Amino acid sequence: MKVNFVLPPIGSSGGIDVIYKYVDLLQKSGYDVCVYKAILANNMHRYHSNVKNIIHQIYCTAKTVFEKEKYRRTSDCFVWKICNKTIRDADVTIATAWPTAFEVYRLSVSKGNKFYFIQDYEIWDNPEVVKKSYQLPLNKIVISTWINDCLKQNLGMGPFPIVYNGLDTSIYHLTTQKKTESEISFLMLNHKLAKKGIPNGLTVFEKVKKKYPDAKLRMFGMSDNTNLPEDVEYFQNPSKDKIVELYSQADVFIFPSLEEGWGLTPLEAMACGCVVVGTRTGFVLDLGKHRENMMISEPGDVSGMVENVEEVLSDSVLMKKIQKNAIETAEGLDWEKSADKLMDILHCYIN
């Protein structure tokens, strides 16, 4: 089977890594897979001014021209733009982000059955334009119940087939003994999207620190740390080995997202035996169990998160139970099973 994926041209993210994981697994299963990326940037409709939008489009195009080799992977095919002349005929062509959905929709039937692999409710650029992408007549696949709920509540659509992300526990597992001294170690992802709830997470830590003055907060992420207090120990763009070390050394992982399509980092933390104190969004609706494999509060409920942190820190039996169950939950996420389900869905539409 010939499968085309259409991805944004450059950049790194958990969602992009997910697509490449499927590319690798489909290729190992004998599929002929090609990843297409357009050099000519899409108009993201990010600003009210058309002039600003065009300038942004020119900037992104130039950035792709100069940086594409930095992000190129073996299966990549960079083309000037996504169109019938540049994309090969195939059995399946899959959009992977809202701008690519419009590109895939415009392709001819010779490019195969058209799919939209939805990893988040991506309305932070231009909500109205993004919502139109979800309404395109493409076969949709989502990665969580939360996304299905968003599409149903906001657009009256779905539900659509769900394919959970897998997790590579050969990489993400407990590598060092948890610290037993009085210092309590917290860990949190840094991200500048408002939906990630980072200010709430920082507030949670500051409130807990009043009761546990020896508590320390470490954070990591792709962006710089200009949005963080000076006393936060920060690791910018750390290696996977370093991230696993951070997970393994932390007692509590704060997951304060207001909205989340899935949530890769808290699940990675769970695989490393870290107690996740998080919100009911993303994967939590599908896999989270309060006081069983994590501590859960509603999105935006800072007081609830503080109470959950203090409860688990004051109860060593509860903490050990959650650590054990969290590892078991993570071990149940298998990339091969996820790829098999994705392939089954593709075949259903073809047959």
Side-chain angles (χ1 to χ4, degrees), residues 13 34 38 47-48 63 76 83 87 91 93 113 134 148 172 176 187 193 204 220 239 244 268 277 319 325:
S13 70
C34 188
Y47 307 103
H48 294 297
K63 188 174 182 181
D76 285 353
C83 64
I87 305 299
D91 299 295
T93 297
N113 285 270
Y134 298 133
N148 261 339
Y172 298 102
T176 59
L187 185 65
L193 269 180
V204 169
F220 66 95
S239 66
V244 170
E268 292 167 358
V277 176
M319 176 173 275
N325 291 340

Side-chain angles (χ1 to χ4, degrees), residues 243-254:
I243 292 173
V244 170
E245 178 186 320
L246 293 172
Y247 288 145
S248 297
Q249 291 179 344
D251 298 295
V252 174
F253 185 91
I254 302 174

Side-chain angles (χ1 to χ4, degrees), residues 29-75:
S29 295
Y31 287 62
D32 180 357
V33 183
C34 188
V35 177
Y36 287 95
K37 297 179 174 182
I39 295 172
L40 178 63
N42 288 284
N43 185 339
M44 303 297 284
H45 303 281
R46 185 168 291 174
Y47 307 103
H48 294 297
S49 166
N50 286 332
V51 173
K52 284 186 177 180
N53 283 324
I54 292 171
I55 292 173
H56 182 258
Q57 186 177 13
I58 293 171
Y59 166 78
C60 290
T61 299
K63 188 174 182 181
T64 300
V65 169
F66 289 106
E67 295 189 6
K68 67 180 189 297
E69 295 307 318
K70 174 183 175 182
Y71 294 97
R72 184 187 292 275
R73 305 200 196 189
T74 305
S75 52

Side-chain angles (χ1 to χ4, degrees), residues 104-118:
V104 169
Y105 169 68
R106 290 191 291 265
L107 295 174
S108 69
V109 294
S110 67
K111 311 309 172 185
N113 285 270
K114 301 174 185 179
F115 287 82
Y116 189 177
F117 190 75
I118 303 173

Side-chain angles (χ1 to χ4, degrees), residues 252 275 295 308-316 318-319 322:
V252 174
V275 174
M295 300 294 285
N308 283 341
V309 171
E310 293 181 347
E311 179 180 354
V312 79
L313 290 180
S314 65
D315 188 339
S316 61
L318 176 62
M319 176 173 275
I322 291 176

Side-chain angles (χ1 to χ4, degrees), residues 27-251:
Q27 288 175 332
K28 288 178 181 177
S29 295
Y31 287 62
D32 180 357
V33 183
C34 188
V35 177
Y36 287 95
K37 297 179 174 182
I39 295 172
L40 178 63
N42 288 284
N43 185 339
M44 303 297 284
H45 303 281
R46 185 168 291 174
Y47 307 103
H48 294 297
S49 166
N50 286 332
V51 173
K52 284 186 177 180
N53 283 324
I54 292 171
I55 292 173
H56 182 258
Q57 186 177 13
I58 293 171
Y59 166 78
C60 290
T61 299
K63 188 174 182 181
T64 300
V65 169
F66 289 106
E67 295 189 6
K68 67 180 189 297
E69 295 307 318
K70 174 183 175 182
Y71 294 97
R72 184 187 292 275
R73 305 200 196 189
T74 305
S75 52
D76 285 353
C77 179
F78 280 90
V79 296
W80 177 243
K81 68 176 183 177
I82 305 298
C83 64
N84 288 321
K85 290 184 178 180
T86 59
I87 305 299
R88 68 176 184 173
D89 291 350
D91 299 295
V92 170
T93 297
I94 305 174
T96 59
W98 75 261
T100 67
F102 291 103
E103 294 172 328
V104 169
Y105 169 68
R106 290 191 291 265
L107 295 174
S108 69
V109 294
S110 67
K111 311 309 172 185
N113 285 270
K114 301 174 185 179
F115 287 82
Y116 189 177
F117 190 75
I118 303 173
Q119 299 191 70
D120 207 340
Y121 191 59
E122 304 176 284
I123 60 170
W124 50 85
D125 277 315
N126 185 312
E128 295 311 311
V129 174
V130 176
K131 288 176 184 177
K132 288 179 181 178
S133 80
Y134 298 133
Q135 294 170 317
L136 293 171
L138 304 174
N139 301 310
K140 297 169 185 70
I141 302 170
V142 302
I143 64 169
S144 68
T145 296
W146 182 85
I147 297 174
N148 261 339
D149 289 348
C150 285
L151 294 173
K152 180 67 174 179
Q153 292 165 10
N154 293 285
L155 299 171
M157 305 170 63
F160 301 107
I162 300 175
V163 179
Y164 293 160
N165 287 336
L167 188 67
D168 191 344
T169 52
S170 68
I171 297 174
Y172 298 102
H173 59 270
L174 183 60
T175 59
T176 59
Q177 191 66 32
K178 293 286 182 182
K179 293 184 291 184
T180 57
E181 63 264 28
S182 60
E183 178 181 307
I184 301 169
S185 178
F186 287 78
L187 185 65
M188 184 166 66
L189 174 72
N190 186 35
H191 202 295
K192 294 187 178 179
L193 269 180
K195 60 176 271 178
K196 298 293 185 178
I198 302 307
N200 286 352
L202 293 171
T203 301
V204 169
F205 175 74
E206 288 304 317
K207 288 181 177 292
V208 171
K209 190 175 174 65
K210 292 178 181 178
K211 187 172 182 178
Y212 297 91
D214 291 329
K216 303 294 182 183
L217 175 61
R218 289 173 158 183
M219 295 182 68
F220 66 95
M222 299 296 292
S223 62
D224 59 41
N225 62 342
T226 54
N227 61 321
L228 304 178
E230 291 184 359
D231 60 345
V232 173
E233 186 178 4
Y234 189 64
F235 300 84
Q236 185 173 0
N237 195 20
S239 66
K240 283 187 178 179
D241 287 344
K242 184 62 181 180
I243 292 173
V244 170
E245 178 186 320
L246 293 172
Y247 288 145
S248 297
Q249 291 179 344
D251 298 295

